[in-house]
Amino acid sequence: MTAPLAEFGLLGPRGVIVVGFVIGVAFGACLERAGLGSARKLMGQFDLTDLAVFKVMFSAIVTAMLGLFWLSQLGMLDVQRVYLPDTFLLPQFLGGALFGVGFALAGLCPGTSCVAAATGRVDGVAVMAGMLAGVLATGAALPSLQRLYLATSRGGLTLPRLLGIPEGVVILVVVGVALTAFAFTARVERRTRSLRSLLRVGNA
């Protein structure tokens, strides 16, 4: 049996919906278990006291990357069938900047806002409402934004393709960067907390 199962018709239309729902619930549960349904915890990214979001998401990226690579090498996954969205440099840069501003203001991102709302947090419901309003407004304005939306198209880009380096080398470098980053962020968190403790003692 070769993955992706949906692409080879092994799940059927209902199976795709059921599997997607189960994966979505499991992903949300993992976010909640990691404490990422709390805006206070997420805001720790910006004052460098709690970099859990960075560590959780980077761990997920590395895990998915290694899984895709080794499943492909073992013939259990046809990576050419895995959906790769096209790259549009300018609109994605602007969208990323807008996303960052929204994250900083709300303390939640789309995924974590769903988790927060599901666990009864009012801020999560508010962020979801704002997000849906933004989607509807963008959809209504899309005809006038079409030129910008399709600007600077680069097709489906990956790091190996962009850099001209074998996949295995890129993966090895990314894993090395991740391990180094995890150690570095732990030191940053400790130093920031120590500095805050000293400031509190001084102010007392």
Side-chain angles (χ1 to χ4, degrees), residues 102 105-110 112-114 122-133:
L105 291 175
L108 294 166
C109 68
T112 55
S113 66
C114 292
V122 178
D123 56 348
V125 176
V127 172
M128 283 194 67
M131 182 172 60
L132 292 174

Side-chain angles (χ1 to χ4, degrees), residues 75-123:
M76 300 173 65
L77 170 69
D78 183 353
V79 77
Q80 298 301 321
R81 296 260 190 158
V82 176
Y83 174 68
L84 178 66
D86 288 342
T87 298
F88 298 90
L89 296 178
L90 179 60
Q92 287 172 349
F93 173 80
L94 295 175
L98 182 61
F99 176 91
V101 171
F103 193 170
L105 291 175
L108 294 166
C109 68
T112 55
S113 66
C114 292
V115 172
T119 53
R121 293 185 175 96
V122 178
D123 56 348

